Amino acid sequence: MRTQPLRRRKSPRPATLLAAALVLTLVPTVAGPLTTKAQADTAAQADTTDRPKVTRTADGLALSVPGTRNTPGYTVDIATDQLALTTERSGKTVLGTAGGDDGGLRFRSDGKWEHATEVTGWTWKSGVLTLTTGTTLDGATVRARLTPEADRYQLDWDVEGGSPDQLALTYDLSSAGHWYGHGEAETPQGGPGTNQPWPLDAGEVDHPTFGPASYHMIDPFWYTSKSTGLRVDTGNVMDVALNKGKDGLGTFVVESPDTYKATVFVESTPLEVYRDYIGIVGKPTKSDAPYEQYAKPLWNSWAQFYTKVDQEKLLDYATDLHDNGLDGHTIQLDDKWESNYGNLTWDPKTFPDPKGLSKKIHDMGFDFGVWVTLWINLDSANYQYAVDHGYLLMDAKDKTKPCDVTWWNGEAGIIDLANPEAKAWYEGNLKSLMDTYDIDGLKFDTRFFDERCAPREGSQVTDYQKLGTQLADEFDLQGAGIRVHWNKTAHEAGFVTRQVDKGTGWDSLRASASQNLAISTIGYPFVESDMIGGSGGQPAPTKDVLVRWAQSASLMPLMYASTSPVDTNDTTTGQKVDYDQETVDLYRQAIKTHEKLAPYIWDQVQSTLKTGDPIMRPLFFDFPKDEASYTVADEWMLGPAVLAAPKLSTGATRSVHLPPGTWYDVNQGTVIRGPKTLKGYSAPLGVTPAFVNLKAQGAAKAVKALKRDDAPAASVLITPDAPATDAGKPFQVTTDVTNWSTGTIKSVKAALDLPDGWSAKPAGATTASSLQNGATLTTTWTVTPAEDARWGSHDLTGTATYTGSKGSTKVSDTVQAQVKAAPGSVQAPYLTTDTTSEDPQYAQAGDQFAIWAGGQDLSGWKDEKGVIYRDDVAGEKSTVQAQLVSQNSASPVGKAGVALANDLTAPEKGGYAVLVMTQSYGLEFMTDSNGDGKLDTWAGGNASYHPAYLKLTRDGATYTGYASKDGQTWTQVGTAEVPSAAGTEDAGMVASAANVNYPGEDIEAVFSGFTVTS
């Protein structure tokens, strides 16, 4: 198809833009005359409303993809004066390329970065939109192809001319909200060893060697809080930066001139984006680790001894763990057991009797494993043998000689797994070692490839991740897993993923939590932290860090341990470090907690094998509408039922955010309704904050595992969470009294505590002679409010008494029952007026008032509101006060509050001021400074709260607004001069839906205690 030229034209006048855009979406247009055959093809596609279509817009082009039953639909707006791609969903931007000199599509030529500029031509054929653009480099053009699908679009592009050597996509990070994914991130602040920003844009990522051969657990996949995602399909090294230097940009460079291939996902939730990605790269087909390795820790010698290990030390280590009841499935001997690296033979000086060592460890009930690597040091006896037989990777620059690489243990060659004979030789050596010394499993370390080496002829760099995966899959990895990534085989193998080595401080502990969230949400769900306490060669962890790390790991899929809580060695001083008995006891408690939780965790493993969903995941995967969850870095969901909030810093308290739901506090034995932030939650060293979503699958099993022995045996839960009714009108609630203990409770009785004048009748039993573990006493109650019940919230408390192992106990749960206001009338001396096009409604019950009103806004540009007021009551020195009990509007800027004016039926007569609370954006104090009836001064802000006490004072022409949360302590919102104020004024209550963006929506505002003192 011949490319049609894109003619540049003058921009239409602003008044014509909307009409032009509307017309253009109705006609099947492409660039150029409508008579060409190519455009006839396009017209046939565009006329089909359920298929993607391309239309001209005032600024360029729009590629529109309609929604389906399972997808939200989206539009890609393409600016053509300078190429920019803006992805929109429901009319809102969810991802946008960078503009200006940054350029969304960039390339490097002769050491200088260039970018795409104006679109010079485009075609739309067979479902592919092809764009041709100029660039900032003479003689070079960009050709980009967008191929839309229901929930994603493929973006492939090339540079023609200009001899580029690198291509890059650059995005405005803020366009997509917050960013996640990536995996282990290199950061200027010490990542991935001591830092892992969550979300990524909360810190800085500068990862210049982001590639398939990297030791870091990474994948070229990122997703956002606005439910978009980016996958770069490449086997080349990338240079990735997010918010580098706080520049607000995401730059994704591929170090190759080949076609840049990217997929942009557009979904309704971040979890759906993740699932789209997993649909491409694959999900685990099995779990490499069996149940026991999820249930108990792996004890590895590395952080305990580093390379200063010998047979006697290892046996003492295992004996201390065994004798102190510090359970585990394996003792794994890490680095420095070999005579030379790569020999796979024991050092006879430090391990004189490896067969006896293995037997003694087995006799204590542990499996035994050792650390191995494919890297053979040049001084190893095996090195020359491997060279002579052609078993090593060859040098990338000189393929006639072996590739020698520098690593933390010297100079080495790497076994070439693409050579079948080399692989067989290495495997044979491993199996011989294991058979001879009764070794049960292995920990594979280092990489399977290095960029300084050349792939074997017929192989690619990415093949070595696959080959390493296949090799490791033949052995028991003992819960240490393996660090393979970037390919389908790695995703499907189901290996446990251990993190890169961490430091031993609080920063590393926090990084271990957020890093697991990053790794698990790029498709590696069987995660564990680095060795509990860290392993980065720093001073030994303090008692508090070690205990808190164990507690944190107990709420992850697996536990990976090294530093003994009995004693360890400080590698920086060579001195022994003794921990106290409490350290041992609390560490043991964490192990037991994890072991009790293992049946629930194993259920999640089986679920993951079906769905691919991560086990350890961010809160917003389960609660995508909970905005606060998107920046929580120190909590996570473990499956659908467990919210882990361990203490990851110094101190004995923390804030805990609970998303919407009904949560059981396993430490307190109480039920809490979210969303709620628990500030100052008590978390002394022996307490690990955790909560169970009682309505989630697996809740009962989770509560059984996590409930503290000193928490109440039973709980009572009232449903629904927020019943609503009218005064005097009956409604139903249900109480569930559940026994969470392992024993039986007796003499169980359920009851309701009601407000004065209310009544309740049970349907069914309110008592039970006994409840066994997991049993529930359910009672349905018909509750009738008093005929004169006040509007607003009323405490409705369910109680349960029972006799358990600790004697008689009473527990309770409280919900807020809402008595709704009903439209009616107001009584003298109160009057009503309005300035809306709708018909407001009003009600009064004693000192309570309600307004239902529309209105586009209550501000300077629009003054539309409903009003309940008193005429001529506010003198020269006066105070107007009311409690705003509640307000409910679809618009976040819906407004309700108090007002003064010379005449509230005609604000243009002067003296006009309002003090209102918005639905979501805090207070607004507005006045009319020149007597024209328009509110033209403003003060306010902060967060909204209810109930809110609002007060307007008048001192002649000086008005001052105040607000309070309790009616006692007042905060000044603002003060202003209103020169037009005159005489005795009207005072009242006002409400506006501020529905300019929510047409037809009303506000309901409830007030009480309206007073005017003068």
Side-chain angles (χ1 to χ4, degrees), residues 37-109:
K37 178 182 182 299
Q39 292 167 338
D41 293 341
T42 302
Q45 292 189 30
D47 282 341
T48 306
T49 57
D50 60 349
R51 295 180 181 175
K53 63 181 179 180
V54 175
T55 57
R56 288 289 299 268
T57 67
D59 299 319
L61 304 171
L63 170 60
S64 301
V65 179
T68 68
R69 180 180 300 176
N70 299 314
T71 61
Y74 61 91
T75 298
V76 184
D77 284 334
I78 302 152
T80 53
D81 283 349
Q82 176 173 317
L83 178 64
L85 306 177
T86 301
T87 306
E88 296 181 349
R89 183 183 59 240
S90 301
K92 297 182 179 179
T93 298
V94 291
L95 181 66
T97 56
D101 292 337
D102 296 308
L105 276 61
R106 310 176 68 211
F107 60 95
R108 194 178 72 172
S109 178

Side-chain angles (χ1 to χ4, degrees), residues 761-774:
K761 293 182 179 180
T766 61
T767 63
S769 59
S770 64
L771 287 178
Q772 296 182 341
N773 164 250

